[in-house]
């Protein structure tokens, strides 16, 4: 039996009956499709989405990159068991997907991209928005998506869709290979009719695997832990992807091994768990970073060991330090010349705990990190404290007010600027999915659309997009989407008049904050004059969002409480006191490598180079 449909109609019907399953939990794999229509998809996928509106929900976006961010936010909140599709027109609509695709792939989060493409049959050549490549006539702008996609195909004939669509679903549900998946769809092929086998539209369930550990690798891991006197576990994003938080808590309690976390792994343990020592690396806590410096065994669970985590190769100072890497991806399992334990994080931790029996870290070691943690929390309290409620808050005080308001059901989203550092060091994560930091790509503009995706996945939760003025100006447009669809996200908009994070970095590397402030030029040509007369609160209001302005700490408490109770999209706007600094104390507890000019005449760069060379001399290769 066959069914005659266009290629676009067949694809929509196919996507509507794909499901994922893990641990008995079955989810619809493609929950909805985002789209901005133009030539290249309006007559193909656009018509198909109208034809099958009852089977495939549709969301209208304002920016193609933002649509990908929304889909990624939905996928992360759905534990990678569900995602959204994104369709665009040819040309700029398609190339606008590249940044979002890179973000998804770097963070191992599934998203399906369906960009329109130029005519496969080439009745007119070139068509509007076509890139002509004289030496390769089969290249289009969609080929930009190849390096940032985990799977890419161009559907030049209808029958090609069957194997390609199946391969796309396989990659989306692969816990190692998942990321952006791209099916480029020439506009004439989308509208072409074909007789499809009926079986293509049958419900199909894709099992998300949980592989266990190899016995030999497990035995080696147990020996390494038993022989370590100062072990430290670093929890990465793989803990969350595996839903291994409860097993990690049991492992940490049983072994008394302290647990630090990367940006992606924060919240793997609640902040008040006895073994949680906070973030690690350049944006980490003093407690975690000192443990990392003295650790003789680092147990990485689901981490990629980025330069922020390793302090660019300077953090792990113990002369005999070794690494044990529990990771579902062999590529990451072998990093830092470590012992690989290739397995699903939940299964691997469970097997490790059983194999270790009653092994526990020494009493003296547990006492040491417990006391250090208590001292660090006192520093956090001092940062959060605002004795004078009628003054303008610092950025840490903004977080302190929010910290006092939320509970374990709230979700915080951030990606770029000075906020990630303050959040990683200071925020007290109360649940496994409260802390949503996109730091694999640290993409400005991610927060607001991602908040929409998270809210669609968890409509019962309060979802906060924490946004600085720099990232807000990159991509505020999806506020209109939230207003149009009544998606009650909360936006906390922090105004400090410039790229504060990069301004601080610029100063530290001899760049003298050049080009990082939103100000009028001064007489000397630098941008250090009066702040620009830009009213971001009015801008958010003009896009349809309800806006609450807060000038003082007292105002902020009231505004955040009002926003949290609101059932419509609401923005709280606050101008912080730290306009010319990265953030308030405490400072970074570990280094990060940003090369400094090797020769310069300005004293700021000369001094920065001297400090840089001292740090570089401490870097080591772990072999």
């Amino acid at each position: 039996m066959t069914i005659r449909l266009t290629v676009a109609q067949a694809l929509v019907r196919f996507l509507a009956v794909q499901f994922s399953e893990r641990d008995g939990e079955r989810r619809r794999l493609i929950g909805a499709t985002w789209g901005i229509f133009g030539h290249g998809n309006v007559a193909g996928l656009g018509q198909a989405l109208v034809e099958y509106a009852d089977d495939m929900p549709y969301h209208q976006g304002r920016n193609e990159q933002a649509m990908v961010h929304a889909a990624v936010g939905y996928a992360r909140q759905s534990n990678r068991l569900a995602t959204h599709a994104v369709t665009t027109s040819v040309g700029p609509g398609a190339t606008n997907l590249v940044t979002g695709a890179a973000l998804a792939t770097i963070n191992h989060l599934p998203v399906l991209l369906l960009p329109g493409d130029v005519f496969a049959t080439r009745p007119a050549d070139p068509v509007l928005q076509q890139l002509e490549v004289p030496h390769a006539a089969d290249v289009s702008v969609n080929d930009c998506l190849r390096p940032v996609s985990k799977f890419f195909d161009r559907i030049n004939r209808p029958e090609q869709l069957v194997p390609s669509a199946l391969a796309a679903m396989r990659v989306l549900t692969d816990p190692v290979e998942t990321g952006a998946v791209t099916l480029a769809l020439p506009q004439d092929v989308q509208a072409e009719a074909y007789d499809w086998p009926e079986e293509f539209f049958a419900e199909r369930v894709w099992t998300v695997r949980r592989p266990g550990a190899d016995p030999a690798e497990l035995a080696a891991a147990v020996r390494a832990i038993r022989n370590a006197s100062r072990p430290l576990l670093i929890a990465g994003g793989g803990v969350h992807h595996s839903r291994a938080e409860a097993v990690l808590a049991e492992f940490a309690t049983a072994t008394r091994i302290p647990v630090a976390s990367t940006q992606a792994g924060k919240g793997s343990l609640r902040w008040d768990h006895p073994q949680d020592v906070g973030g690690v690396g350049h944006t980490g806590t003093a407690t975690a970073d000192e443990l990392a410096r003295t650790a003789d065994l680092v147990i990485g669970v689901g981490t990629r060991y980025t330069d922020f985590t390793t302090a660019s190769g300077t953090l792990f100072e113990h002369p005999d330090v070794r690494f044990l890497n529990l990771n579902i991806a062999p590529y990451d399992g072998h990093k830092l010349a470590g012992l690989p334990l290739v397995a699903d994080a939940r299964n691997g931790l469970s097997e490790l705990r059983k194999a270790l029996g009653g092994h526990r870290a020494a009493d003296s070691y547990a006492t040491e990190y417990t006391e250090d943690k208590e001292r660090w929390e006192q520093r956090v309290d001092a940062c959060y404290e605002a004795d004078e409620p009628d003054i303008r808050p610092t950025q840490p005080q903004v977080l302190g007010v929010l910290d006092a308001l939320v509970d374990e059901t709230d979700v915080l989203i951030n990606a770029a600027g000075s906020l990630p550092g303050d959040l990683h060091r200071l925020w007290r994560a109360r649940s496994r999915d409260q802390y949503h930091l996109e730091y694999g790509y640290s993409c400005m503009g991610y927060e607001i659309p991602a908040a929409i995706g998270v809210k669609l996945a968890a409509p019962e939760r309060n979802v906060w997009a924490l946004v600085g003025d720099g990232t807000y100006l990159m991509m505020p447009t999806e506020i209109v989407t939230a207003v149009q669809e009544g998606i009650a996200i909360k936006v906390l908009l922090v105004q400090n008049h410039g790229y504060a994070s990069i301004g601080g970095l610029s100063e530290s590397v001899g760049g003298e904050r050049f080009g990082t402030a939103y100000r009028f030029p001064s007489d000397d040509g630098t941008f250090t004059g009066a702040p620009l007369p830009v009213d971001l609160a009015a801008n958010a209001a003009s896009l349809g969002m309800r806006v609450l302005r807060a000038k003082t700490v007292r105002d902020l408490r009231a505004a955040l409480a009002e926003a949290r109770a609101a059932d419509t999209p609401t923005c709280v706007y606050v101008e912080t006191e730290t306009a010319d600094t990265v953030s308030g104390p405490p400072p970074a507890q570990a280094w990060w490598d940003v090369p400094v000019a090797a020769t310069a005449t300005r004293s700021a760069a000369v001094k920065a180079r001297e400090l840089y060379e001292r740090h570089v001399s401490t870097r080591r290769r772990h072999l």
Side-chain angles (χ1 to χ4, degrees), residues 429-485:
R430 293 162 170 79
S431 65
R432 58 164 296 275
D433 60 354
Q434 179 176 82
Y435 188 87
H436 182 131
L437 260 285
E438 187 289 297
Y439 215 58
Y441 210 42
S442 188
C443 185
M444 296 175 71
Y446 173 79
E447 294 89 347
I448 292 173
I452 292 172
V454 171
K455 187 69 173 176
L456 289 171
E460 75 285 358
R461 308 281 290 273
N462 282 304
V463 181
W464 299 86
L466 275 56
V467 181
D469 49 87
T471 195
Y472 178 86
L473 286 169
M474 285 275 184
M475 199 173 297
T477 50
E478 297 314 308
I479 285 175
V480 178
T481 301
V483 171
Q484 174 177 295
E485 300 202 15

Side-chain angles (χ1 to χ4, degrees), residues 60-84:
Q60 182 185 53
R62 270 72 196 176
N63 177 285
E64 291 87 356
Q65 177 182 321
M67 294 193 297
V68 185
H69 294 336
V72 166
Y74 181 90
R76 176 165 170 170
Q77 189 64 30
S78 302
N79 303 309
R80 304 197 301 180
L81 300 177
T83 187
H84 286 161

Side-chain angles (χ1 to χ4, degrees), residues 14 155 157-168 194 196-197 200 204:
F14 169 83
I155 309 302
R157 292 180 58 86
E159 57 267 38
Q160 185 184 344
L161 179 65
V162 173
S164 188
L166 294 170
Y194 183 75
W196 305 91
F200 185 54
R204 194 177 301 266

